């Protein structure tokens, strides 16, 4: 089992991590790209994710986030819960954590 701790929609390739452009959808894509990289480094992949937790700065962004979320999974996206939180690191709009099997 691989537990990926919460990753925000940051571009970690920059010398200083920065929030990805494109609002909630751009940040969701970046967060899931970051999760994909962690999973691949651990020897697994997005298709083996069994659950995710999504933290949103604004629960009103759920539908826009979900439009991107479902595109990252070839078949039936894994179960997920979403919560609105007071704030996220670096003023991110979204942070996602996942659990995957090997």
């Amino acid at each position: 089992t691989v537990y990926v701790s919460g990753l925000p929609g940051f571009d970690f390739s920059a010398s200083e991590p920065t929030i990805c452009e494109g609002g909630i959808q751009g940040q969701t894509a970046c967060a899931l790209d970051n999760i994909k990289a962690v999973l691949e480094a651990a020897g697994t992949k997005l298709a083996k994710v069994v659950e995710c937790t999504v933290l949103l700065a604004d629960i009103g962004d759920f539908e826009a986030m979900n439009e991107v979320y479902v595109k990252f999974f070839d078949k039936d996206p894994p179960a997920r819960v979403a919560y609105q939180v007071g704030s996220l690191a670096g003023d991110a709009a979204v942070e996602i954590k996942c659990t995957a099997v090997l």
Side-chain angles (χ1 to χ4, degrees):
T1 304
V2 178
Y3 301 96
V4 181
S5 63
L7 288 170
F10 285 3
D11 177 359
F12 290 106
S13 67
S15 58
E16 288 282 325
T18 57
I19 293 177
C20 292
E21 295 181 8
I24 186 65
Q25 291 191 322
Q27 288 186 44
T28 300
C30 281
L32 289 166
D33 282 335
N34 293 335
I35 289 167
K36 180 180 176 186
V38 170
L39 292 172
E40 289 174 354
T44 190
K45 56 189 176 178
L46 283 171
K48 299 237 177 172
V49 170
V50 294
E51 69 83 25
C52 289
T53 300
V54 180
L55 305 177
L56 295 165
D58 180 354
I59 198 70
D61 287 336
F62 177 82
E63 284 186 41
M65 174 280 301
N66 201 52
E67 285 177 18
V68 175
Y69 178 87
V70 298
K71 292 177 184 175
F72 270 78
F73 300 94
D74 295 334
K75 213 177 174 183
D76 301 326
R80 49 114 185 69
V81 295
Y83 301 100
Q84 178 172 317
V85 296
S87 65
L88 294 166
D91 292 326
V94 63
E95 182 174 310
I96 303 173
K97 76 170 199 71
C98 291
T99 304
V101 295
L102 292 172

